[in-house]
């Protein structure tokens, strides 16, 4: 364990969540607010997950790694080992909570969060969970039994959760994303104002299918657009030298600038990403992760956004070069009607409300 986990005096808040960036970004939005107010902030994540990269470098936050098992819905040899890893995680979390004495646990979900929320119940520390997707994931379904509240991004999610625990609050968006500068992005990418900018984001880990589809149509797409391609770790194709095309594996600080410069977006339908595009009024073409590769959460996220007029949707099984180009052209042509629909969406004061709720729920 890292030093600094002996906390005395100040109130302590323990965050958890990880696996993919989607299970960390909400915590990244909240942590600076609690640090500003002088709270002692601790974070529980896995030994090797992306949460470690995103959190460990933050000044003022103490990171603790625990053992974590994946809770699979399918048959695998690993299923035999994993309950023991989860039990070890509960044991580690229990010891940690006893030592750190948090007033509350805030969980953004993912498998690593389950042992922490279970241990919080043993130690009588209230826990609040945030569920980003339209339907709760397995980790949050299990953890919700041990939590005081489950907060949701989508109003529709409340019906899948225990009535006394569910609270629709909306999306918690990182404040910095509203402070992007197009100029900085032009400088970074070398793009010009001559052509519109298309951002491609295959979720926080990138999408091989989307990467192939975009790269297959690069010549056609770059006739009309300049393209920022967030392609995921290990997915840069250094053989491509196309003017008006830049690739990044994963962008941290510069994302706000790249978003400010983007006119339209093609994206997976991960809940945090799409609510960010909505808040920033970016017309989006969503290519949700299919049922073959997921539990179908992105299909429902995308369907909800399409129904509300915020997004166009192209199903993965229909993804081919010609359809991709047609959908992108249509999205760009109709961009103002998407922006008009998004402008009707009333942003809630979610972050402030959630901070208030966390403070009210804290163990006194
Ligand atoms: C494969 C998988 O398990 N996907 C799930 C995962 O997606 P994933 O981890 O992709 O989550 P989201 O799309 O919700 O969030 C991704 C986050 O990463 C950020 N970002 C992305 C690229 C980049 O270069 N820089 C950057 O900061 C985005 O701005 C966003 O805040 O969690 C989501 C939220 O529970 C689910 O809806 C997805 O189904």
């Amino acid at each position: 364990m890292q030093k600094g986990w002996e906390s005395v005096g100040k109130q302590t808040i323990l965050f958890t969540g990880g696996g993919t960036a989607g299970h960390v970004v909400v915590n990244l939005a909240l942590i600076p607010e609690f640090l500003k107010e002088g709270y002692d902030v601790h974070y529980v994540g896995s030994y090797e997950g992306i949460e470690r990269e995103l959190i460990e470098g933050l000044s003022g936050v103490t990171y603790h790694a625990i053992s974590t098992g994946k809770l699979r819905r399918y048959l695998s040899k690993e299923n035999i080992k994993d309950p023991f890893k989860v039990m070890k995680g509960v044991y580690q979390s229990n010891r940690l909570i006893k030592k750190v004495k948090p007033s509350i646990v805030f969980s953004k979900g993912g498998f690593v969060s389950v042992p922490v929320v279970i241990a919080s119940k043993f130690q009588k520390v209230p826990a609040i969970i945030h569920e980003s997707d339209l339907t709760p994931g397995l980790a949050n379904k299990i953890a919700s039994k041990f939590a005081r509240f489950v907060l949701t991004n989508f109003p529709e999610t409340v019906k899948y959760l225990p009535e006394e625990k569910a609270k629709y609050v909306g999306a918690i968006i990182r404040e910095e994303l509203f402070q992007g500068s197009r100029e900085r992005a032009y400088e970074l990418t070398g793009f010009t104002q001559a052509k519109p900018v298309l951002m491609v984001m295959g979720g926080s880990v990138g999408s091989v299918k989307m990467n192939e589809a975009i790269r297959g149509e690069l010549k056609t797409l770059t006739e009309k657009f300049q393209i920022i391609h967030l392609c995921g770790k290990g997915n840069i194709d250094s053989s491509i030298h196309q003017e008006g095309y830049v690739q990044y594996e994963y962008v941290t600080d510069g994302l706000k600038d790249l978003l400010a410069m983007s006119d339209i977006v093609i994206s997976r339908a991960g809940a945090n990403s799409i609510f960010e595009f909505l808040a920033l009024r970016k017309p989006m073409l969503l290519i949700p992760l299919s049922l073959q590769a997921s539990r179908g959460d992105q299909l429902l996220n995308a369907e909800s956004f399409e129904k509300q007029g915020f997004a166009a949707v192209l199903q993965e099984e229909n993804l081919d070069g010609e359809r991709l180009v047609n959908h992108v052209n249509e999205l760009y042509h109709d961009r103002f009607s998407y922006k008009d629909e998004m402008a009707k969406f009333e942003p809630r004061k979610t972050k402030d409300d959630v901070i208030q709720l966390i403070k009210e729920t804290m163990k006194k």
Side-chain angles (χ1 to χ4, degrees):
M1 288 294 161
Q2 289 78 0
K3 65 178 159 54
W5 59 313
E6 212 94 34
S7 53
V8 258
K10 303 190 251 183
Q11 262 188 310
T12 298
I13 175 161
L14 182 63
F15 286 90
T16 183
T20 69
H23 291 116
V24 189
V25 286
V26 169
N27 293 338
L28 284 175
L30 293 172
I31 286 171
E33 308 296 331
F34 285 94
L35 286 175
K36 253 193 270 167
E37 293 192 31
Y39 284 84
D40 204 1
V41 176
H42 291 249
Y43 199 104
V44 180
S46 64
Y47 290 101
E48 282 165 6
I50 187 163
E51 61 276 17
R52 186 158 206 163
E53 260 169 67
L54 294 175
I55 299 288
E56 211 169 29
L58 294 182
S59 121
V61 182
T62 311
Y63 188 89
H64 310 273
I66 61 162
S67 159
T68 168
K70 199 167 162 36
L71 304 156
R72 294 177 190 82
R73 290 162 194 269
Y74 50 88
L75 287 175
S76 156
K77 270 197 286 185
E78 292 299 307
N79 287 356
I80 300 166
K81 289 191 216 147
D82 280 347
F84 295 102
K85 291 189 192 160
V86 175
M87 273 154 62
K88 187 173 171 196
V90 174
Y91 173 76
Q92 289 172 306
S93 305
N94 208 38
R95 275 188 54 198
L96 181 67
I97 291 175
K98 262 188 182 166
K99 194 107 183 178
V100 171
K101 298 189 177 52
S103 304
I104 195 150
V105 168
F106 185 87
S107 163
K108 178 49 206 70
F111 300 114
V112 71
S113 70
V114 176
V116 189
V117 178
I118 294 176
S120 75
K121 184 80 178 177
F122 291 158
Q123 293 303 321
K124 299 193 170 54
V125 173
I128 297 181
I129 295 175
H130 188 274
E131 173 56 66
S132 312
D133 292 303
L134 197 141
T135 54
L138 182 57
N140 273 355
K141 264 195 201 155
I142 296 171
S144 66
K145 299 195 177 15
F146 302 87
R148 181 76 58 85
F149 296 118
V150 185
L151 315 182
T152 74
N153 253 359
F154 288 91
E156 298 96 311
T157 317
V158 167
K159 63 173 182 276
Y160 300 99
L161 293 163
E163 204 182 326
E164 69 290 358
K165 295 189 180 185
K167 274 186 192 288
Y168 163 54
V169 294
I172 306 171
I173 310 245
R174 289 171 286 169
E175 203 58 48
E176 66 189 63
L177 291 186
F178 298 96
Q179 282 136 29
S181 144
R182 303 176 72 206
E183 289 65 34
R184 275 199 305 260
Y186 281 123
E187 219 169 277
L188 176 78
T189 54
F191 286 0
T192 69
Q193 308 231 11
K195 282 183 194 172
V197 175
L198 162 65
M199 173 183 278
V200 181
M201 186 195 276
S204 59
V205 291
S207 151
V208 172
K209 289 215 168 105
M210 281 175 61
N211 292 352
E212 283 170 0
I214 292 293
R215 287 171 180 151
E217 294 301 324
L218 260 197
K219 279 244 156 2
T220 315
L221 287 170
T222 50
E223 279 168 21
K224 189 158 165 190
F225 300 98
Q226 299 168 101
I227 303 174
I228 305 162
H229 189 177
L230 306 176
C231 57
K233 211 168 184 175
N235 292 330
I236 298 258
D237 183 342
S238 47
S239 69
I240 303 176
H241 304 285
Q242 173 74 46
E243 209 189 315
Y245 174 72
V246 291
Q247 314 168 57
Y248 302 100
E249 289 191 328
Y250 184 90
V251 180
T252 50
D253 295 347
L255 184 68
K256 58 181 183 301
D257 301 331
L258 297 178
L259 279 165
M261 183 177 67
S262 300
D263 296 285
I264 56 170
V265 178
I266 307 180
S267 174
R268 281 296 192 195
N272 298 287
S273 306
I274 64 176
F275 274 99
E276 289 167 2
F277 304 141
L278 171 59
L280 297 168
R281 313 266 186 263
K282 300 291 167 186
M284 58 192 114
L285 170 63
L286 302 179
I287 306 177
L289 205 57
S290 69
L291 259 183
Q292 280 77 40
S294 72
R295 64 184 177 89
D297 49 326
Q298 293 198 5
L299 293 166
L300 297 174
N301 295 346
E303 187 185 290
S304 168
F305 266 44
E306 188 181 34
K307 261 197 207 141
Q308 296 177 78
F310 302 153
V313 176
L314 173 57
Q315 299 300 347
E316 197 174 282
E317 51 273 28
N318 300 329
L319 177 60
D320 62 29
E322 193 185 333
R323 286 202 188 100
L324 178 71
V325 172
N326 289 342
H327 274 75
V328 171
N329 284 333
E330 239 170 70
L331 178 74
Y332 186 67
H333 179 267
D334 298 339
R335 65 194 179 284
F336 294 114
S337 43
Y338 285 105
K339 279 175 181 281
D340 287 346
E341 286 309 312
M342 289 192 269
K344 289 183 202 155
F345 179 76
E346 282 281 332
R348 303 177 135 229
K349 281 191 6 280
T350 302
K351 190 151 59 94
D352 297 344
D353 292 348
V354 169
I355 291 170
Q356 191 54 35
L357 181 70
I358 291 175
K359 288 180 182 168
E360 285 167 11
T361 313
M362 280 180 173
K363 195 172 164 181
K364 300 292 178 293

